[in-house]
């Protein structure tokens, strides 16, 4: 079967540019760490250990946090059937299929490569969506795997995580060790703290910008993959509305993994903070799907639940 998946060169360019810019930041940041710790060996060991932990175990961490578990075909035959069909037409290795026992309707994909990926849906999503809507959501998540942007986001976010840890360490040392430090050492700590804070802020903005674009890219790919952009639009509308009804306190655990979700677990549309959001607004996503629907000559009205 010929693949119906559409590659996205603009996404590839953006991912490459983001990694390049983060790489430049990374060089300066490592230099600051060496100054702080006064040992390049120690810096190499610490960074290597943290990178391996995040890159190789990010999928397990996400699955554990979201109470997801891999399910066999016998347990969820219809879910497996949809994933099988989409993988066949996208020419994609089948990822592990998982289900999270959460009422929040959502889905996410994680994993370091298409060969080591997991696509997880919540029981709340399975209960609320029609078959065509569920197919649209799964196509969206599989598009992330096919684009390999899940791995890129994981790698890109590593620098921000590392910078955040250094900021905390520096602040902790300043508060609890100030009496044992001369002025020169204090100046070094202040410089490292400043560099770390700047690196964290810049990497945060770069990653959020890439994250918003990759969501639009996954929507486009899913719409063309299924040929039903209106079904994906209906799923977006339904899921966003349902999440808005869930109490904020019940969403707090999930919010740490917003970058990986089909829709963010915020319960509301962002205002000015949309510039720092992991996802584009619902309006932007529906607008794009409406244009694709018109291009494909689809009869159904995008954004209206069927």
């Amino acid at each position: 079967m010929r693949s119906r998946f559409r590659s996205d060169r603009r996404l590839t360019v953006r991912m490459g540019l983001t990694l390049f810019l983060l790489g430049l930041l990374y060089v300066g940041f490592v230099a600051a760490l060496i100054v702080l710790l006064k040992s390049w060996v120690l810096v190499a060991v610490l960074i290597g250990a943290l990178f391996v932990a995040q890159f190789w175990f990010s999928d397990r961490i996400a699955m554990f946090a979201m109470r997801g578990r891999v399910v066999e075909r016998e347990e969820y035959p219809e879910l497996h059937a949809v994933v099988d069909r989409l993988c066949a037409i996208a020419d994609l290795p089948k990822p592990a299929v998982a289900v999270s026992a959460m009422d929040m309707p959502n889905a996410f994909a994680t994993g370091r490569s298409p060969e080591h990926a997991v696509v997880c849906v919540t029981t709340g999503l399975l209960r609320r969506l029609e078959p065509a809507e569920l197919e649209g959501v799964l196509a969206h998540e599989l598009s992330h795997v096919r684009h390999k942007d899940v791995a890129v986001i994981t790698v890109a976010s590593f620098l921000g995580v590392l910078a955040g840890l250094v900021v905390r360490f520096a602040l902790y040392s300043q508060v609890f060790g100030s009496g044992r430090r001369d002025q020169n050492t204090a100046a070094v700590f202040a410089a490292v703290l400043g560099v770390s804070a700047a690196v964290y802020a810049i990497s945060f903005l770069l990653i959020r910008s890439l994250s918003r674009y990759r969501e639009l890219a996954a929507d486009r790919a899913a719409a063309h993959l299924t040929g039903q952009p209106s079904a994906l639009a209906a799923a977006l509308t339904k899921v966003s509305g349902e999440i808005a009804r869930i109490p904020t306190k019940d969403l707090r655990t999930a919010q740490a993994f917003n970058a990986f979700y089909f829709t963010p677990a915020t319960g509301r549309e962002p205002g000015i903070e949309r510039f720092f959001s992991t996802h584009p607004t619902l309006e932007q996503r529906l607008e794009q799907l409406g244009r694709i629907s018109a291009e494909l000559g689809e009869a159904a009205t995008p954004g209206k639940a069927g």
Side-chain angles (χ1 to χ4, degrees), residues 64 79-81 115 130 135 145 149 167 187 204 209-210 238 247 250 262 268 276 282:
F64 175 78
L79 179 61
H80 272 271
E115 290 75 23
E130 300 296 327
E135 183 179 58
V145 176
D149 59 52
V167 169
F204 178 88
S209 176
L210 175 61
K238 187 179 291 186
D250 295 335
F262 173 62
R268 60 187 174 85
F276 311 108
L282 177 62

Side-chain angles (χ1 to χ4, degrees), residues 107-109 119 136-146 260-262:
F108 66 90
V119 172
V137 173
L138 289 171
H140 172 100
E141 297 305 328
L142 289 172
S143 294
H144 281 313
V145 176
R146 187 70 160 74
F260 295 95
Y261 283 132
F262 173 62

Side-chain angles (χ1 to χ4, degrees), residues 133-172:
E133 296 167 351
L134 177 62
E135 183 179 58
V137 173
L138 289 171
H140 172 100
E141 297 305 328
L142 289 172
S143 294
H144 281 313
V145 176
R146 187 70 160 74
H147 285 147
K148 300 180 181 178
D149 59 52
V150 176
V152 171
I153 284 291
T154 300
V155 172
S157 62
F158 170 70
L159 182 59
V161 170
L162 187 60
L165 289 174
V166 172
V167 169
R168 291 186 182 92
F169 172 75
L171 287 173
Y172 178 86

